[in-house]
Each structure stands twice: as C-alpha cells, then as structure tokens.
Amino acid sequence: MARNSKALVPAATEQADAATHTSAPDHFDGYVVALGASAGGLDALERFFDELPANTGAAIVVIQHLSPDHKSMMDNLLARHTQMPVSMAENGISIQANHVYLIPPGKNMTIAGSELCLVPKTPHGLSLPIDLFLSSLAKVRRNRCVAVILSGTGSDGTRGGVAINDAGGFLLAQTPESAKFDGMPRSIIATGFVDEVLPPELLASRVASHINNTHPLKVKVVTDDDEDSTENPMEGIFHLLYQIGGINFKDYKPTTVMRRIERRMQVRHVRELSDYLTLLENDRTELHTLKRDTLITVTNFFRDQESFKVLQEEVMDRLVKEHSDGQPIRFWVAGCSTGEEPYSLAMLFADACERHKRWPQLKIFATDVEQQYIDFASAGVYAEGIVNEITPHRLERFFTRNGNQFVIKSDIRQHIVFARHNVLEDPPFTRMDLVSCRNTLIYFESQAQDKVLLRFQYALKHNGFLFLGSSESLGMVHKDFAVISAKHKIYRLLRPVNLPMDFKNGPKRDVSRLRVSTLPHESRWTPEGGLVDSGLAELLRGYAPPALLINEDRELIHVYGDAQRYMRIPEGAASLEISKLLVGKLAPVGIALLHKVTKDNVPLRSELQIFNPATHAHEMVRVMVRPVADKTTPTRHFLMVFEAQTNASSPVTADAIDVSAVANERIHSLERDLSVTRDSLQATIEELETSNEELQATNEELMASNEELQSTNEELQSVNEELYTVNAENQEKIDILNRLNADLENMTQAALIPTLFVDQELKLTRFTPEASKVFRIREGDVGRPLDDFSHQMDYPGFINDLHRVMSNASLMEREVKTHDGHWYLLRALPYIDRPHNIRGLVITLFDMTYLKDMQHLQSIVDSLPEHVAVLDNTGRITLVNEAWRYFVEHNGGRGLARSGPGENYLEVCQGGEGLDVDVAHQVQSGIRNILKGQQDSFSIKYSCHSADQQRWFLMYAAQVRHVNKGVVISHINITDWDQGEADDTPRA
C-alpha cells in the first residue's frame, strides 16, 4: 500500500502518553505496582519485599485471596520485610508514593484515578480479585503500571495481565519452579505476554530498574521524500516486521506503532532507535515479541453488553426468522484476536434459534492476521476469568469446565472456521449475512480504513449487516448503508459493490519499498478491446437466439439475448435455480433436457412446445441444451437455447427428443432408485438395531462406571471430611497459639521488665515498652541490628558477650549500672524453639537499684559498734547489724536461733536469761507503746553481766518513720562510762 508523505511524527514521552489516557486528574501520577498472589503467596511476597528498595517512588498494591471470616495479619507480617508503611486499604483512600496497600478480607478492589475503591465480594460465585484490579489499573494507568503475578492456584490474574500488556504496562511473573503453587504463574506465562519470568528476589530489582528507566526515548522518523530515508531506523523496523509476518505496519496509525516500540525499548533498556533496530536484527525472539505487542488483542466475551443486546434483537432474530432450515447463514469476524467475538456471535445465534424454534445452518469465518491468535482461538480453551463476562446459564450450556479452565463445546465450535487472513492484503470472503469488525479499524490510517470498509461492502449480501466498534465509522461508504443503531454501530447494506476490486493474487511484494503506486489491472482500457466487445454484443442480439448459461447445480450464471420473456421471478426468497425461473411447460422440459445431457454429455433438443405467456400470442418454442467445455475449470456448464418457430426450416444441429419418453424413462429410473433406497434403508435399520444393542451394552458399562464414580465420590467425601477435621484441629491450634501469644503480650506488659528478643544475627524481632528506658528504640525499629541502638548501660562488651552466649548456648548474668545511677541484673538466655535449634536470644534486665540501696544501708549499719536491730509493726526482727550478730554469737546464741531475723523481739525480752524481770516488762511495754504510736522513743539502762565481767548497757528504741511503721533498737555498752557507779538500779 502506498504511503503518504506525512509518515510518523516524533513520539511523546511516557509521561505525556500516560496523561493522554488518564480519564481523571490524578494527585499521584507515578507508577503503580500491583502484586497478585494466592496460596503460598506470603513467602513470595516476603522475598520480594526483602529486595525491593523503599524509595522507588511507586505505590505498591497487594491483592490476595483472603478468607472473609478471619482477620488478616498480612500488614504486620509484611511490615517486617520493608521499611515502607504497610496498611490495609480503605474505600476512597488516595495512594501515595513508597507506600504499600493491602486488600482487606471480604472485599474486591479497583482503582479510579489515584483512589482505591472497595466493594463487598459476592457471597456466591467465583471471585477473581486480581483480574478485577488489574483490568481497572490498565484503564487508569496505561503504561505507568506494573503487574507481578506470584505464587497461587487457579488462573486469577491471567485476563487482567493481558489487559496490562495491551495498555502498554510491564507484566512480570514468578518462575513456576520457585513458587509453592505454580497455577497462576503458569497460566499467565502461557499467554505469551509476560515480559520477564524471574524468582521473587530478582523480580523486585527488575521492577525497580524498570521504574527508574524513565528517560525520554529519542525516536524520529523522516518522511518518504527525505533523501536519507533509507537510513531511517523505522524503515528498517517496518521491513523486518513485514518479513516475519507479511504485515505492513505503515498502514497502522503512527502513534499506535510508536507507543508499542517505545514500550519494548523501555523493557529492553534501549534508549536509541538505531540501537533497537540492531537488537531486532540480532534477536529473532524480540522481533516476534514486538510484532505480537503491536497487534492489539483487547477483547472479551460479549464486549459491550448493550451492543450485543441490540444485535440480538435487530439482527440475529431477523436472520433466523428470514432463513429457512436449508438456507445457510454466513458470518465473517475480521480481526477475531483470541476468538471471544466469534464464539459470542455463535452463542447469540444459538439463543435466537432456541427462541424461534428454527435451526438454519450457520457458518462463521473468524480471521486474524496473527497465526498465534488463530491457534489460541481454535483451541477454544479460556481461563476461569471469563465467569465475569458470561452468564452462568451460558457457561453451563456452551462450556465444559476442565480444572481451572473452560472449554467451548463442540456444538458451538463446529460452526466456526478459523483462518489467518489480512484484511488489507488478502481477498475478502463473499455472500456474507453479517460482517463483524470491532475496534480493529481504529488502529489503521484513514486510507487503510476506507480500503477495508470497501472490502466489507463487497463481502456482504444485499441487505447484509455490518457490526463495527464503538469508536469506528463508515467513512466514505456511509451512503451505501442504512443505520440500524448509530449508537451501537450496526448498519445494513443498501447497495452492494459490483465493480471489480484490487485484490492481490500474485506473490506478496514488499510494499515498504514501493514509492510509486500502480493502477489496478482491471482499470486498464484499450480502444480496440472496447470496440470488439461492442461488436460481439451487437452480433448476438441480431442473429443469435436467446440463451441461458447454467452450472451443474442448475443455477443461472449468465443471460444471452432477450431471454427474460421465458423467465419469471417467483415470490419468496430469491433463487437462481433454473426450475424456479422458467415459465410454464418450459420448466419440466428444460429440467428433463438438463438431466439427459448431464448423463450422456451430448447436445439434445425438445419437440416444439406451445409458449403462451400473459403478454404474447401463441408461439412455438424449441428448447435445446448443449454441454459447454471449459478447460480452465473442472465445473461443468450447460447452454440452454430457446429457438422460436419460424416458416423457414431450422437447421438440425441436434437430435430431437421425445419429452414423454424421457419423462417415462426418468420415472422408471426413479422407481429403481427408490427400490434400491428401500433395500438400503432396511439394511440401515438392521445396522441401527445392532448398534442399539451395542449402545445398550455400552450403557450398562457406563452405569457400572457411574457406580464406581459414586463409590469414588463417597471416598472423596470421606477424605474431605478428614481434611475438614484436620482443618478444624489446625484452626483450634491457631486459636491456642493466638491465646498464648496474647498471654505472652500481657505477661510482658504486666511484669514491667525490660525484655528484648533478637534473632541469630542479633536483629531486633520484639521488645517490651520498658526496654526503651535503657535502649533508644521505637516501634518501627524491628528488624534492625541491636548494635545500631545506643543504650544507657556502662557495658562496653555487651555485643561481644551476646555473641558468646549465642555460640555457647549458655546463660549469662551480669550486674550493670546505667548512666543515671540505676542498677540492673542483665540476663541473656538462648531462644530455643526445639532441641538443638537456637533461633536467637532473650535479654532481660531486672531493676536491682532498691536491692543495692538495701545493701548500702546494711553496710552502714554494720559499721556501727552499737548492737542495732529493726522490728516490723508486729515486733518481729527484720534486720540486724554485724555488732548484734557478734554479741549474740558470743553469748550463747549460735546461728541467731532466738535473736535473729524472723524472731519476735517481745518474746525474746520476755524469756531473756540474765535480764531482770522488771526490766523485761519495761522494755516490752515501751516497745508496744512505740508500735501503737503512743510515744516516739524509749530508753533504759540495764545490766547484763557475763561470767567473768560485769556489763552495763543502754537500750534506745525509736519509731521508724515509714508507711509500714516499725521500731529501730540499739544497745550501747556503757560499762566503761559507768565504772564509778555502784548502784545498778535502772533509770527510765
């Protein structure tokens, strides 16, 4: 096809392209990365986020299959593997860069502009949240979106991933070998649209590099008139694409082609168009990928439901009612892509036949320029995502479920013929009742659109229907069509194309190298040729009798001379059958002659027949039939000549025939055929009876197989119940684990003990709030190494001692002092979850500042020479100093058996040896008064002589000023002070 001189314009950058396709203004215009995962997806997600940088500038959305009955802990789990904020999505929330959003349980999620929209899941039916979100993301973000399909069962994400690719986005999948469940990755890989297949760790770096590769591409295409056009890289790319697929992409709109080339350049990290041309020349796979990407495949079943509803009412019902059971109905679906459109039309036609109880023959020709799509459509196998496009009734009627896929039933598939066909290069089909070409013309330039529409007009029957896409129009052929529905682009042909068209019959040429267009062969005219044709026509009209050219199916091909008076057009459906066109007795005579000539292959003529049409007087006519030999075609043809009776005798050119004899012979032949048919029918009946017996035997075998299947079903039911029991047990264990976890949380909070949990690499995994008093840590510091945090302890070898505990698997205790004067007992204990498996350490710090104060107080009291003891509010001894212990030990009280801590001092005074009874009573009375608060202090001088020495003591008791009241007692030896006194009478 010749090109105009405008050629292609410089392509816009990725940012401008995205802005063009965004339907609403966005607050966030960066990349959106969608991660789809199902069963086993947690491991893949953790591995992905471990390697994904936190500053990519993209918003991350995670879509999973979650149970609506259980609270998801995914936000807490993923927060340990990324520094980005992780939160559950809310309806209407605006996405932000470097944030992770999770789909909540029991919800389906879509994106509109820069906001996430949530709707409740339907309680019944299959839910495909990944397909739903990816499809909406493709519409909103176009080429500024990335989809990653991770581990999962089923095929969710397949149709959404195809939409991402068609929109120009970046499509990735996890390698099936690295996935715990490979159903979803294998399903999306089978489409052939995945750009990269990598393990989760490498997928993260690939996503980051794709997002960062946003430099504008330098693409420039010169015009056809430029002298240097042969060096233009685009010309080379077009030439390579034409070589491998026979498709001249110069007929496509420049923006469409450039957008796909720019996408592939960004995927392959190529900045210059000349470098990309070099890549295509050396990489055949990339060349096929570019061709596949340039051929847009956006389609689905019953696309635009309202349009198909109007098509059903205005076209399908009319075609079914107007055609008899013997008349075939022919459809042509041009640009069928992966086959959803022709199958939709076939299902629509089947519904119309069922409603009207009429079943005319149907033949659908579904064509596409890409053989890969034809093979896919011909297989008729689709992912489970089609449940969102087809009603349950049609799914059950027209599909068979095979695992996670749906297969078209044979009663629909048998009506469709799939074939590779280029609407711009190959001749069109003919005699079509309906031509459907939806959203294909929009990718062609205006000249190519007009050419295709003219071919569609040629392909249609008179009053045939044309079904176009919502963004397409009739262009220059609009005067030849009647509008059935302008909104839904349904038209009816008024004037078929009768002129010859420029169809290429020879070998295809490289039109990208042509610079001068040539006139079609049919348009060439010479004066000599026109004069000869005119003379021949005049000769036939003047001297030749009227005649009809008939094919072997007895259909009229051509009319010579004034033969219309021997024919008529009957009412009803139009037909070229000769028996319906001939007038009166000419019909049986002509049929008899045709039968005889067909059989004997010799020219024959009839007797004179009376011809009495309504507009003529009685006339005698002789009918002659001759076989016509044509070596160019194997089809047989016949010439039926009408010779009117004249006075002159006509030359005898063929033997006369007795029509009655021929009719009798025909009757006898039919009787013989009938007899043979009866014998054949009897034999067929016997064979059917035999087949019926075999079918009965087969039915019995099927019944036996059915019983075995029922038994197997019962076994499966039993296994299902066991699995349910195991599931219930697991759920109970999970509940117990949740309770234990809650108990642990509450215990650590109630104990008020600073506690740290670290893993084998001394990275923080958990801590109690009290630990922040010693270590400078916050809630978001989980996952960081412990040596990253400063602490208050005067303990330089802290980390080294922890490594020693990890290697020795032994307990370590140490008293440490903080910079603010507090004392702690630091204990490091290995964290062992099962024998010989150390998962980390548990570090606890017990505050022993009060204990240190008590030790200090004890040392002070021990430094006094006086005998000191402290009583509680019941008179029981709670503390004694070293002088008290020494005195008691050296005066017969070994082990402080009667005068040590825990003993009641009032009882000790009551039974004290060597102590005057009055003194003992006074001491008891004074201590009790102090304990009751009746007096603040009490003192007494008393004697306590030993065997070899006389001793005098001064006892002083005072109230302890504390919440828990008590008494402090001191005994002072005053013997040296009181040597001169002889009177040892006590003084109060």
Side-chain angles (χ1 to χ4, degrees), residues 209-267:
S209 63
H210 178 80
I211 294 173
N212 294 329
N213 183 34
T214 56
H215 297 279
L217 304 176
K218 300 179 180 179
V219 178
K220 181 180 182 295
V221 179
V222 298
T223 64
D224 292 342
D225 298 331
D226 198 315
E227 295 180 356
D228 298 330
S229 62
T230 56
E231 299 179 0
N232 178 25
M234 279 304 303
E235 292 292 331
I237 293 175
F238 282 146
H239 180 65
L240 291 175
L241 290 174
Y242 190 84
Q243 280 185 331
I244 66 164
I247 305 173
N248 183 12
F249 283 102
K250 284 189 175 183
D251 292 324
Y252 286 66
K253 290 182 178 178
T255 54
T256 299
V257 179
M258 291 312 307
R259 190 161 56 244
R260 309 310 286 189
I261 293 177
E262 287 175 355
R263 178 185 178 276
R264 291 307 307 169
M265 290 175 65
Q266 185 176 9
V267 170

Coordinates of all heavy atoms in Angstrom, one line a residue, residues 209-267:
S209 N 14.3 -1.3 38.5 CA 15.1 -0.8 37.3 C 14.1 -0.3 36.2 O 14.4 0.7 35.5 CB 16.0 -1.9 36.8 OG 15.2 -3.0 36.3
H210 N 13.0 -1.0 36.1 CA 12.0 -0.5 35.1 C 11.4 0.8 35.4 O 11.3 1.7 34.6 CB 10.9 -1.5 34.9 CG 9.8 -1.1 33.9 ND1 10.0 -1.3 32.6 CD2 8.6 -0.6 34.1 CE1 8.9 -0.8 32.0 NE2 8.0 -0.4 32.9
I211 N 11.1 1.0 36.7 CA 10.5 2.3 37.1 C 11.6 3.4 37.0 O 11.2 4.6 36.6 CB 10.1 2.2 38.6 CG1 8.9 1.2 38.7 CG2 9.6 3.5 39.1 CD1 8.4 0.9 40.1
N212 N 12.8 3.1 37.3 CA 13.9 4.2 37.2 C 14.3 4.5 35.8 O 14.9 5.5 35.5 CB 15.1 3.7 38.0 CG 14.8 3.7 39.5 OD1 13.9 4.4 40.0 ND2 15.4 2.7 40.2
N213 N 13.9 3.6 34.8 CA 14.3 3.8 33.4 C 13.3 4.7 32.7 O 12.5 4.2 31.9 CB 14.5 2.5 32.7 CG 15.0 2.6 31.3 OD1 15.7 3.5 31.0 ND2 14.5 1.7 30.4
T214 N 13.1 5.9 33.1 CA 12.1 6.8 32.6 C 12.6 7.9 31.7 O 11.9 8.9 31.5 CB 11.3 7.4 33.8 OG1 12.2 8.1 34.6 CG2 10.6 6.3 34.6
H215 N 13.8 7.8 31.2 CA 14.3 8.9 30.3 C 13.6 8.9 29.0 O 13.2 7.8 28.4 CB 15.8 8.6 30.0 CG 16.6 8.7 31.3 ND1 17.1 9.8 31.8 CD2 17.1 7.7 32.1 CE1 17.8 9.6 32.9 NE2 17.8 8.3 33.1
P216 N 13.3 10.1 28.4 CA 12.5 10.1 27.2 C 13.3 9.4 26.1 O 14.5 9.6 26.0 CB 12.4 11.6 26.9 CG 12.6 12.3 28.2 CD 13.5 11.4 29.0
L217 N 12.6 8.7 25.2 CA 13.2 8.0 24.1 C 13.4 8.9 22.9 O 12.4 9.6 22.6 CB 12.4 6.7 23.8 CG 12.2 5.8 25.0 CD1 11.3 4.7 24.5 CD2 13.5 5.2 25.5
K218 N 14.5 8.9 22.2 CA 14.7 9.7 21.1 C 14.3 9.0 19.8 O 15.1 8.3 19.2 CB 16.2 10.1 21.1 CG 16.7 10.9 22.3 CD 18.1 11.2 22.2 CE 18.6 12.0 23.5 NZ 20.0 12.3 23.4
V219 N 13.1 9.1 19.5 CA 12.5 8.4 18.3 C 12.2 9.5 17.3 O 11.4 10.4 17.5 CB 11.3 7.6 18.7 CG1 10.7 6.9 17.4 CG2 11.7 6.5 19.7
K220 N 12.7 9.3 16.1 CA 12.5 10.3 15.0 C 12.4 9.5 13.7 O 13.2 8.7 13.4 CB 13.5 11.3 14.9 CG 13.3 12.4 13.8 CD 14.4 13.4 13.7 CE 14.1 14.5 12.7 NZ 14.1 13.9 11.3
V221 N 11.3 9.7 12.9 CA 11.1 9.1 11.6 C 11.1 10.2 10.5 O 10.2 11.1 10.6 CB 9.9 8.2 11.6 CG1 9.7 7.6 10.3 CG2 10.0 7.2 12.7
V222 N 11.9 10.0 9.5 CA 11.8 11.0 8.4 C 10.8 10.7 7.5 O 10.2 9.6 7.5 CB 13.2 11.1 7.7 CG1 14.3 11.5 8.7 CG2 13.5 9.7 7.1
T223 N 10.4 11.6 6.6 CA 9.4 11.4 5.6 C 9.9 10.6 4.4 O 11.1 10.4 4.2 CB 8.8 12.8 5.1 OG1 9.9 13.5 4.4 CG2 8.4 13.6 6.3
D224 N 8.9 10.2 3.6 CA 9.3 9.4 2.4 C 10.1 10.2 1.4 O 10.8 9.6 0.6 CB 8.0 8.8 1.7 CG 7.4 7.8 2.6 OD1 8.0 7.3 3.5 OD2 6.2 7.5 2.4
D225 N 10.0 11.5 1.4 CA 10.7 12.3 0.5 C 12.1 12.7 0.9 O 12.9 13.2 0.1 CB 9.9 13.6 0.2 CG 8.5 13.4 -0.3 OD1 8.4 12.4 -1.0 OD2 7.6 14.2 -0.1
D226 N 12.4 12.3 2.1 CA 13.8 12.6 2.6 C 14.8 11.7 1.9 O 14.6 10.5 1.7 CB 13.9 12.4 4.1 CG 15.0 13.1 4.7 OD1 16.1 13.0 4.1 OD2 14.9 13.7 5.8
E227 N 15.9 12.3 1.5 CA 16.9 11.6 0.7 C 17.6 10.5 1.6 O 18.0 9.5 1.1 CB 18.0 12.5 0.2 CG 17.5 13.5 -0.8 CD 18.6 14.4 -1.3 OE1 19.7 14.3 -0.7 OE2 18.3 15.2 -2.2
D228 N 17.6 10.7 2.9 CA 18.3 9.8 3.8 C 17.3 8.8 4.5 O 17.6 8.2 5.5 CB 19.0 10.6 5.0 CG 20.1 11.4 4.4 OD1 20.6 11.1 3.4 OD2 20.3 12.5 5.0
S229 N 16.1 8.7 3.8 CA 15.1 7.8 4.4 C 15.5 6.3 4.5 O 15.1 5.6 5.3 CB 13.8 7.9 3.7 OG 14.0 7.5 2.3
T230 N 16.4 5.9 3.6 CA 16.9 4.6 3.7 C 17.7 4.3 4.9 O 17.8 3.1 5.3 CB 17.7 4.3 2.4 OG1 18.8 5.2 2.4 CG2 16.9 4.4 1.2
E231 N 18.2 5.3 5.5 CA 19.0 5.1 6.8 C 18.1 5.3 8.0 O 18.6 5.3 9.1 CB 20.2 6.1 6.8 CG 21.1 5.9 5.6 CD 22.3 6.9 5.7 OE1 22.3 7.7 6.6 OE2 23.2 6.8 4.8
N232 N 16.8 5.6 7.8 CA 16.0 5.8 9.0 C 15.7 4.4 9.7 O 15.3 3.5 9.0 CB 14.6 6.4 8.5 CG 13.7 6.6 9.6 OD1 14.1 6.7 10.7 ND2 12.4 6.6 9.3
P233 N 15.9 4.3 11.0 CA 15.7 3.1 11.7 C 14.3 2.5 11.6 O 14.1 1.3 11.5 CB 16.1 3.4 13.1 CG 17.0 4.6 13.0 CD 16.5 5.4 11.8
M234 N 13.3 3.4 11.5 CA 11.9 3.0 11.4 C 11.7 2.2 10.2 O 10.9 1.2 10.1 CB 11.0 4.2 11.6 CG 10.7 4.6 13.0 SD 10.1 3.3 14.1 CE 8.7 2.8 13.2
E235 N 12.3 2.6 9.0 CA 12.1 1.9 7.8 C 12.6 0.5 7.9 O 12.1 -0.5 7.5 CB 12.8 2.7 6.7 CG 12.2 4.0 6.3 CD 10.9 3.8 5.6 OE1 10.6 2.8 5.0 OE2 10.0 4.7 5.8
G236 N 13.8 0.4 8.6 CA 14.3 -1.0 8.8 C 13.4 -1.8 9.7 O 13.3 -3.0 9.5
I237 N 12.9 -1.2 10.8 CA 12.0 -2.0 11.6 C 10.7 -2.4 10.9 O 10.3 -3.6 11.0 CB 11.6 -1.1 12.9 CG1 12.8 -0.8 13.7 CG2 10.5 -1.8 13.7 CD1 12.6 0.1 14.9
F238 N 10.1 -1.5 10.1 CA 9.0 -1.9 9.3 C 9.3 -3.1 8.3 O 8.5 -4.0 8.1 CB 8.5 -0.7 8.5 CG 7.7 0.2 9.3 CD1 7.7 1.6 9.0 CD2 6.8 -0.2 10.3 CE1 6.9 2.5 9.8 CE2 6.1 0.7 11.1 CZ 6.1 2.0 10.8
H239 N 10.5 -3.0 7.7 CA 10.9 -4.0 6.8 C 11.1 -5.4 7.5 O 10.6 -6.4 7.0 CB 12.2 -3.6 6.1 CG 12.7 -4.6 5.2 ND1 12.1 -4.9 4.0 CD2 13.8 -5.4 5.2 CE1 12.7 -5.9 3.3 NE2 13.8 -6.2 4.0
L240 N 11.7 -5.4 8.7 CA 11.8 -6.6 9.5 C 10.5 -7.2 9.9 O 10.2 -8.4 9.8 CB 12.7 -6.4 10.7 CG 14.2 -6.1 10.5 CD1 14.8 -5.7 11.8 CD2 14.8 -7.3 9.8
L241 N 9.5 -6.3 10.3 CA 8.2 -6.8 10.7 C 7.5 -7.4 9.5 O 6.7 -8.4 9.6 CB 7.4 -5.7 11.3 CG 7.9 -5.2 12.7 CD1 7.1 -3.9 13.1 CD2 7.7 -6.3 13.7
Y242 N 7.6 -6.8 8.3 CA 7.0 -7.3 7.1 C 7.6 -8.7 6.7 O 6.8 -9.5 6.2 CB 7.1 -6.3 6.0 CG 6.2 -6.7 4.8 CD1 4.9 -6.3 4.7 CD2 6.7 -7.4 3.7 CE1 4.1 -6.6 3.7 CE2 5.9 -7.7 2.6 CZ 4.6 -7.3 2.6 OH 3.8 -7.7 1.6
Q243 N 8.8 -8.8 6.9 CA 9.5 -10.1 6.6 C 9.0 -11.3 7.4 O 8.8 -12.3 6.8 CB 11.0 -10.0 6.7 CG 11.7 -9.2 5.6 CD 13.2 -9.3 5.8 OE1 13.7 -9.3 6.9 NE2 13.9 -9.2 4.6
I244 N 8.8 -11.1 8.7 CA 8.4 -12.2 9.5 C 6.9 -12.5 9.5 O 6.5 -13.6 9.9 CB 8.9 -12.0 11.0 CG1 8.2 -10.9 11.6 CG2 10.4 -11.9 11.0 CD1 8.3 -10.9 13.1
G245 N 6.1 -11.5 9.2 CA 4.7 -11.7 9.3 C 3.8 -11.2 8.2 O 2.6 -11.5 8.1
G246 N 4.5 -10.6 7.1 CA 3.7 -10.2 6.0 C 2.7 -9.1 6.3 O 1.7 -8.9 5.6
I247 N 3.0 -8.3 7.4 CA 2.1 -7.2 7.8 C 2.8 -5.9 7.5 O 4.0 -5.7 8.0 CB 1.8 -7.3 9.3 CG1 1.1 -8.7 9.6 CG2 0.8 -6.2 9.7 CD1 0.9 -9.0 11.0
N248 N 2.2 -5.0 6.8 CA 2.8 -3.7 6.5 C 2.3 -2.7 7.6 O 1.2 -2.2 7.5 CB 2.4 -3.2 5.1 CG 3.0 -1.9 4.8 OD1 3.9 -1.4 5.5 ND2 2.6 -1.3 3.7
F249 N 3.1 -2.5 8.6 CA 2.7 -1.7 9.7 C 2.7 -0.2 9.3 O 2.3 0.7 10.2 CB 3.6 -1.9 10.9 CG 3.2 -3.1 11.7 CD1 4.0 -4.3 11.6 CD2 2.1 -3.2 12.5 CE1 3.7 -5.4 12.2 CE2 1.8 -4.4 13.2 CZ 2.6 -5.5 13.0
K250 N 3.0 0.1 8.1 CA 2.9 1.5 7.7 C 1.4 1.9 7.5 O 1.1 3.1 7.5 CB 3.6 1.7 6.3 CG 5.1 1.8 6.5 CD 5.7 2.2 5.1 CE 7.2 2.4 5.3 NZ 7.8 2.9 4.0
D251 N 0.6 0.9 7.4 CA -0.9 1.1 7.3 C -1.5 1.4 8.7 O -2.7 1.8 8.7 CB -1.6 -0.1 6.7 CG -1.2 -0.3 5.2 OD1 -1.0 0.7 4.5 OD2 -1.1 -1.4 4.8
Y252 N -0.7 1.2 9.7 CA -1.2 1.5 11.1 C -0.9 2.9 11.5 O 0.0 3.6 11.0 CB -0.6 0.5 12.1 CG -1.1 -0.9 12.0 CD1 -0.9 -1.7 10.9 CD2 -1.8 -1.5 13.0 CE1 -1.3 -3.0 10.8 CE2 -2.2 -2.8 13.0 CZ -2.0 -3.5 11.8 OH -2.5 -4.8 11.8
K253 N -1.7 3.4 12.4 CA -1.5 4.8 12.9 C -0.1 4.9 13.5 O 0.3 4.1 14.3 CB -2.6 5.2 13.9 CG -4.0 5.3 13.3 CD -5.0 5.8 14.3 CE -6.4 6.0 13.6 NZ -7.4 6.3 14.6
P254 N 0.6 6.0 13.3 CA 1.9 6.2 13.8 C 2.0 6.1 15.3 O 2.9 5.5 15.9 CB 2.3 7.6 13.3 CG 1.5 7.8 12.1 CD 0.2 7.1 12.4
T255 N 1.0 6.8 16.0 CA 1.1 6.8 17.5 C 0.9 5.4 18.1 O 1.5 5.0 19.1 CB -0.1 7.7 18.0 OG1 -1.3 7.3 17.5 CG2 0.2 9.1 17.7
T256 N 0.1 4.5 17.4 CA -0.1 3.2 17.9 C 1.2 2.4 17.8 O 1.7 1.7 18.8 CB -1.2 2.5 17.1 OG1 -2.4 3.2 17.3 CG2 -1.3 1.0 17.6
V257 N 1.9 2.5 16.6 CA 3.1 1.7 16.4 C 4.2 2.3 17.3 O 4.9 1.5 18.0 CB 3.5 1.8 15.0 CG1 4.8 1.0 14.7 CG2 2.4 1.2 14.1
M258 N 4.3 3.6 17.5 CA 5.4 4.1 18.2 C 5.3 3.8 19.7 O 6.2 3.6 20.4 CB 5.5 5.6 18.0 CG 6.0 6.0 16.6 SD 7.4 5.1 16.1 CE 8.5 5.4 17.5
R259 N 4.0 3.8 20.2 CA 3.8 3.5 21.6 C 4.3 2.1 22.0 O 4.9 1.9 23.0 CB 2.3 3.7 21.9 CG 2.0 3.6 23.4 CD 0.7 4.3 23.8 NE -0.4 3.6 23.0 CZ -1.1 4.3 22.2 NH1 -0.9 5.6 21.9 NH2 -2.1 3.7 21.5
R260 N 4.0 1.2 21.1 CA 4.5 -0.2 21.3 C 6.0 -0.4 21.2 O 6.6 -1.1 22.0 CB 3.8 -1.2 20.4 CG 2.3 -1.0 20.3 CD 1.6 -1.0 21.6 NE 1.6 -2.3 22.3 CZ 0.9 -2.6 23.4 NH1 0.2 -1.7 24.0 NH2 0.9 -3.8 23.9
I261 N 6.6 0.4 20.2 CA 8.0 0.3 20.1 C 8.7 0.9 21.3 O 9.7 0.4 21.9 CB 8.5 1.0 18.8 CG1 8.0 0.2 17.6 CG2 10.0 1.2 18.8 CD1 8.3 0.9 16.3
E262 N 8.2 2.1 21.8 CA 8.7 2.7 23.0 C 8.6 1.8 24.2 O 9.6 1.7 25.0 CB 8.0 4.0 23.2 CG 8.3 5.1 22.3 CD 7.5 6.3 22.5 OE1 6.6 6.3 23.4 OE2 7.7 7.4 21.8
R263 N 7.5 1.1 24.3 CA 7.4 0.1 25.4 C 8.5 -1.0 25.4 O 9.1 -1.3 26.4 CB 6.0 -0.5 25.4 CG 5.8 -1.5 26.5 CD 4.5 -2.2 26.4 NE 4.3 -3.2 27.4 CZ 4.8 -4.4 27.3 NH1 5.5 -4.8 26.3 NH2 4.7 -5.3 28.3
R264 N 8.7 -1.5 24.2 CA 9.7 -2.6 24.1 C 11.1 -2.0 24.4 O 11.9 -2.7 25.0 CB 9.6 -3.3 22.7 CG 8.4 -4.1 22.5 CD 8.1 -5.1 23.6 NE 9.3 -5.9 23.8 CZ 9.4 -6.8 24.8 NH1 8.5 -6.8 25.7 NH2 10.5 -7.5 25.0
M265 N 11.3 -0.8 23.9 CA 12.6 -0.2 24.2 C 12.9 0.0 25.7 O 14.0 -0.2 26.2 CB 12.7 1.1 23.4 CG 12.8 1.0 21.9 SD 12.8 2.6 21.0 CE 14.3 3.3 21.6
Q266 N 11.8 0.4 26.4 CA 12.0 0.6 27.8 C 12.2 -0.7 28.5 O 13.0 -0.9 29.4 CB 10.8 1.3 28.4 CG 10.9 1.6 29.9 CD 9.7 2.4 30.4 OE1 8.8 2.6 29.7 NE2 9.9 2.9 31.6
V267 N 11.4 -1.8 28.1 CA 11.6 -3.1 28.7 C 13.0 -3.6 28.5 O 13.6 -4.2 29.4 CB 10.6 -4.1 28.1 CG1 10.9 -5.5 28.5 CG2 9.2 -3.7 28.5

